[in-house]
Amino acid sequence: MGNTRAMVHPLRLLRWLYVGRLTLATGIFLGALFVWRDAEATAITLWATLALLSSVVATSLSLWYTTGLQRVPGKNFLYGQVLFDTLLVTAVVYITIEGRMGSVFAPLYILVIAAGALLLPLSGGMLIGVLASILYFSVSLLDQNQGPDGGLLVVTLQGALFAVMALVTGALGDRLRHTGTVLGVVESELRQLRLDTDDVLDTIDTGLVTVDEIGQLVYINDAAEAALQIPDQDWHGKEVTAELDRRAPGLGTVIRRTASLRAPIRRYEIRMRGDDGDRYLGVRTTVLERGASPPWVTAVFQDITDTKQIDELMRRAERLQAVAELGASLAHEIKNPLASIRSAVEQLAVGRLNDRDRGVLRSLVLKESDRLTRLLSDFMEFSRIELRRWGAVDLCKITRDAIGLVQQHPDTAGSARIELRAPMEPVIVTGDEDLLHRAVFNLVLNAVQHSGADGQVKVEVGRILAKRDVPSAVQFERPVRLAVSDSGPGISEEALARIFDPFFTTREGGTGLGLALVHRAVEAHQGMILVDGGPDHGAQFTVYLPAQAERR
């Protein structure tokens, strides 16, 4: 690439040199024919004709050498071109010189010197400058009308100016050539890097598609061509996002959304239906900023069908295992009351009991029956957790209603005092009102039951405005906070790890399903629940919900 740049630059400059040479020679020839009418017209016309003919011949031969024969201009060729133009300008100056005023074409030496500085090395440019000064000085002295005083001074100053211009332009030309060489090397390395990168991208099984600011295809690798059936030779430079949507529903839309928002999409799944079954693509996008120009977008995708099927099998196995564990726990919880009831019934059937023992056994049967009823009722409520009615819900109103229901609960009569701290304005979340009500009710009821008769329960509801007040585990924006704290005995370290497990309880007579229900309800609303509490200083349950949750 460096050699290519070195060749293209002189050829382009030579073309301009040819155009300027022919223009100058033609202009002088026409001037000699139609403008000059004095006694010296014949000599001027002869010089002008020779200048034009020599320019045409020299230019024709040069074009034939560089264009016809496709030869690279060498050092001798470039020296010859600059020397010829120096002599041509000298002839023009000689023809047009007018006494002490000199020639109006003398500044053309500056253009010749500049061309020499760009085409030749520093020493060559200096040589052309010195030669131009000598020729101009000599031509000026040949004019019989040139006097020895002021005119000679002007000529000398002009010659000195040509020498200075040769020095300056030569230094600039040398610097430009050096810079061009460096740029050529860099461009060559960049092209090689791009070729290597293309080879790497074409060998990986991950698809890559890059489109410009108006959705035209810029790049697509082999894996993407095979997956989408979009050949690069057919679609390169054409609007492709609509076709991407047709081949992989949603891919073009994701690219357009990324371009409009100038924000990458980290994860997106696309389902592609086919005769041999559905295929799934995992897609992520990135924005390629291009300074002041609109950005390009690159979409990277991979076939995740096998991974998705494996994940589904694992989830199914986890669900089956959870059902088995839940069934075993439920059977264990039912077994004990049933055993007590059976023993009491067997003793009552004997009939050799006094009234006092008979009353105790009857009371035991009723108590264990109530326990079974409560256990099955809580289990049915736990198993029915699902989002049915999705809409805007005022969390403050739900909390007030739940607290009122807890205060009327038969198990909380004369229990802890409940204090509510909530703003007057609504705190809106998006979710299922019934499910959120059941979750808040169970959370407050659990706090009251663990606080005792003289205890205190604090309930706080509100928005979180400062990001520093949100735990790092909470990833969603604009969270809403519900905190329930009690003055009970706290939670041991062993119990803390199992606090949300079904049928796990530390309270006598509890079913262990209340907090499990709360946990499932919070997860269904894409929220998070955190527990803070150690032995002997109460416990606090904090629920974070997104202010505008999206249903999945």
Side-chain angles (χ1 to χ4, degrees), residues 207-228:
L208 288 97
V209 178
T210 300
V211 301
D212 61 15
E213 65 274 10
I214 59 176
Q216 294 180 346
L217 181 63
V218 176
Y219 175 79
I220 182 170
N221 70 342
D222 291 346
E225 285 190 31
L228 303 175

Side-chain angles (χ1 to χ4, degrees), residues 22-86:
L22 293 176
T23 302
L24 177 62
T26 304
I28 292 299
F29 177 74
L30 293 177
L33 290 179
F34 301 107
V35 177
W36 290 292
R37 296 293 184 180
D38 53 16
E40 298 180 356
T42 302
I44 292 176
T45 302
L46 177 61
W47 278 106
T49 303
L50 291 175
L52 177 60
L53 290 177
S54 60
S55 297
V56 171
V57 172
T59 303
S60 300
L61 292 175
S62 300
L63 284 173
W64 173 74
Y65 181 80
T66 57
T67 305
L69 298 180
Q70 296 292 321
R71 299 291 183 85
V72 178
K75 182 186 296 185
N76 294 334
F77 180 87
L78 297 177
Y79 268 106
Q81 296 297 317
V82 178
L83 286 174
F84 178 84
D85 288 331
T86 304

Side-chain angles (χ1 to χ4, degrees), residues 285-300:
T285 62
T286 184
V287 180
L288 305 178
E289 296 290 349
R290 302 171 56 247
S293 302
W296 291 359
V297 176
T298 294
V300 182

Side-chain angles (χ1 to χ4, degrees), residues 203-256:
T203 56
I204 63 177
D205 59 355
T206 300
L208 288 97
V209 178
T210 300
V211 301
D212 61 15
E213 65 274 10
I214 59 176
Q216 294 180 346
L217 181 63
V218 176
Y219 175 79
I220 182 170
N221 70 342
D222 291 346
E225 285 190 31
L228 303 175
Q229 296 299 309
I230 297 180
D232 180 59
Q233 63 269 20
D234 296 341
W235 287 93
H236 189 84
K238 298 179 181 179
E239 206 287 326
V240 77
T241 55
E243 185 67 17
L244 291 176
D245 271 335
R246 192 176 73 84
R247 302 293 179 95
L251 180 57
T253 303
V254 168
I255 292 176
R256 287 193 295 268

Side-chain angles (χ1 to χ4, degrees), residues 281-338:
L281 297 180
V283 183
R284 55 189 175 89
T285 62
T286 184
V287 180
L288 305 178
E289 296 290 349
R290 302 171 56 247
S293 302
W296 291 359
V297 176
T298 294
V300 182
F301 60 87
Q302 195 167 24
D303 193 326
I304 60 171
T305 304
D306 295 338
T307 304
K308 196 171 182 65
Q309 290 174 349
I310 293 174
D311 291 343
E312 181 61 30
L313 290 175
M314 292 182 64
R315 283 195 296 268
R316 187 179 302 173
E318 290 174 355
R319 287 196 297 268
L320 291 174
Q321 183 179 359
V323 169
E325 292 177 355
L326 190 62
S329 300
L330 182 61
H332 177 75
E333 294 295 327
I334 293 177
K335 182 179 178 180
N336 292 333
L338 284 178

Side-chain angles (χ1 to χ4, degrees), residues 470-501:
V470 182
S472 58
V474 180
Q475 298 295 329
F476 44 83
E477 298 290 335
R478 300 171 54 204
V480 171
R481 177 176 176 269
L482 167 68
V484 179
S485 57
D486 62 61
S487 58
I491 307 173
S492 65
E493 211 172 300
E494 296 78 9
L496 194 61
R498 302 184 56 197
I499 194 71
F500 295 118
D501 290 351

Side-chain angles (χ1 to χ4, degrees), residues 381-434:
E381 185 178 10
F382 172 78
S383 63
R384 288 198 305 264
I385 291 181
E386 59 179 335
L387 300 175
R388 296 181 179 179
R389 295 183 299 175
W390 189 262
V393 180
D394 183 3
L395 191 59
C396 292
K397 181 179 182 302
I398 286 180
T399 304
R400 293 189 184 96
D401 294 343
I403 291 174
L405 192 60
V406 169
Q407 291 172 335
Q408 297 175 8
H409 196 276
D411 293 344
T412 61
S415 294
R417 182 170 60 90
I418 303 175
E419 178 184 349
L420 173 63
R421 297 179 182 176
M424 297 299 298
E425 66 275 5
V427 176
I428 304 298
V429 297
T430 307
D432 187 309
E433 184 174 359
D434 292 338

